Structure formats: C-alpha cells, structure tokens
Amino acid sequence: NEPKWNEYLTGIYQCVLYLTSGKIGDTVIPFDRILQKPVNSNEMKVYVHSLRPIINNLRGVGTAVCYNWLKECGADWLAKPDLHIKRVVAELLLREMKRDDYKDIENIDFNPTQEADKIIAKFLRNYPKYKQFPQSEEISGQKKLTADEFVAVYMFEWAEEIRNSGTDDAITAFKL
C-alpha cells in the first residue's frame, strides 16, 4: 500500500530529524532526557506526558510504536501498550472493579480479554483519580492520562511493586 509506505518513510525521516536536532515541531526534547528513568509513579506520569509531542508530530508513529522505539533505545521501564498487554491490565482491573462498574460491557462474562479497551476505558471513567497527572510545570494541554498512557504507568507501578517486594530486583515493565 503506497500511501502507508510513504507515511512510514516520512515518519522515519522525521525521527532522524528529531535525533539530529532534538526538536519535534517547535518543541525541544533532548533525547538524553527521554532516556532518564522515572523514579516513581508521579514521575512516570510526567514522563509519558512529555512523550506526547513525539507521538503527535511524527507521522505514522502512535503510542505503541513510540514506546517500543524508546524501549529499544534503552527505556525498558516503558511497556508498549499492545493488545496482549492491555488484556493483562484489563484482567487485573476487573478484579479491582465492582460488578456494577462493568455490567454494561458486552460479553464480559464470556471473554473479558476481547473487551480490553472497553474495560480500561470504563475503569478510568469510574475511577478518574487514576488518570490524573500530578501538579507539575511540565504538564500542559490535556491534563488526563490517555488509556495507553495509563497502561504504561500501570505496568511501571506493577514492576515497581515487584521490585520493592524483593521478588525480582531486576524486573521492568517491559519484562512483565
């Protein structure tokens, strides 16, 4: 498909321009800043917010591709919000939700993993505190986590919890 191929090549070219200049559109984002690991959940929320200019300004680069690219560059604290990751998060969220929280989602009793995006969206609507960013000068524009950003933060927190328990000192969101 030629239009998709052209979009992909344009995105690669834009990535090269970013790597050589540190600019995305009118925003300067030093690459070494992107590879600084957040130390806690609030920093992770600020971190995923700081990636929005990349996601919004590189053609053909969505959240999953951006996070995967950064993971390949060394950001192993970043989980790519693919469907299989969203399914795991959705299954865990169902355990935290009350039946009334998700009773209107079709087929939930039969195969909740097929409804991962709906479950995550429903959880965030019912529990809005989980999609709030911390107060920060770095946060502007949309002040709520997107579903994909929430998944990345959730996986980061889960890995942090495992490390803190002493179960696996080297676990990362990517390894989960």
Side-chain angles (χ1 to χ4, degrees):
N1 184 335
E2 191 170 329
K4 288 285 185 190
W5 184 247
N6 287 336
E7 185 173 304
Y8 175 73
L9 291 176
T10 301
I12 289 175
Y13 177 72
Q14 290 173 325
C15 285
V16 170
L17 289 177
Y18 164 63
L19 289 172
T20 58
S21 71
K23 285 182 72 175
I24 297 286
D26 294 331
T27 306
V28 175
I29 307 172
F31 193 66
D32 59 340
R33 160 69 176 100
I34 289 177
L35 294 181
Q36 291 177 355
K37 182 179 180 181
V39 297
N40 58 42
S41 181
N42 279 340
E43 278 192 21
M44 182 62 174
K45 289 178 179 180
V46 172
Y47 176 82
V48 296
H49 186 275
S50 74
L51 300 178
R52 286 181 177 181
I54 296 172
I55 296 163
N56 295 334
N57 290 296
L58 295 179
R59 292 201 41 193
V61 176
T63 305
V65 172
C66 177
Y67 289 11
N68 190 58
W69 174 57
L70 292 172
K71 184 259 311 166
E72 293 297 330
C73 292
D76 64 357
W77 56 86
L78 198 53
K80 177 182 173 185
D82 269 346
L83 182 57
H84 65 283
I85 300 296
K86 288 181 178 182
R87 287 177 179 162
V88 170
V89 170
E91 288 282 353
L92 294 170
L93 293 177
L94 280 175
R95 297 178 196 315
E96 296 179 33
M97 294 168 73
K98 300 177 199 122
R99 175 72 178 133
D100 287 344
D101 289 342
Y102 59 84
K103 67 183 177 188
D104 59 333
I105 300 174
E106 291 179 36
N107 302 321
I108 201 72
D109 292 326
F110 302 109
N111 194 349
T113 60
Q114 288 182 342
E115 305 290 334
D117 285 327
K118 290 180 184 177
I119 293 167
I120 293 167
K122 187 73 169 177
F123 179 85
L124 292 173
R125 273 193 306 278
N126 291 347
Y127 301 93
K129 70 178 184 175
Y130 289 101
K131 62 182 177 181
Q132 298 297 321
F133 283 111
Q135 292 293 337
S136 171
E137 291 178 13
E138 298 177 49
I139 304 291
S140 63
Q142 182 186 353
K143 305 269 187 197
K144 299 198 185 310
L145 288 167
T146 66
D148 285 346
E149 290 168 339
F150 169 77
V151 169
V153 171
Y154 189 94
M155 296 299 288
F156 175 86
E157 290 172 345
W158 190 14
E160 189 175 58
E161 188 176 315
I162 291 169
R163 277 191 310 279
N164 291 340
S165 75
T167 305
D168 184 345
D169 294 339
I171 195 70
T172 64
F174 165 68
K175 289 180 182 177
L176 281 171

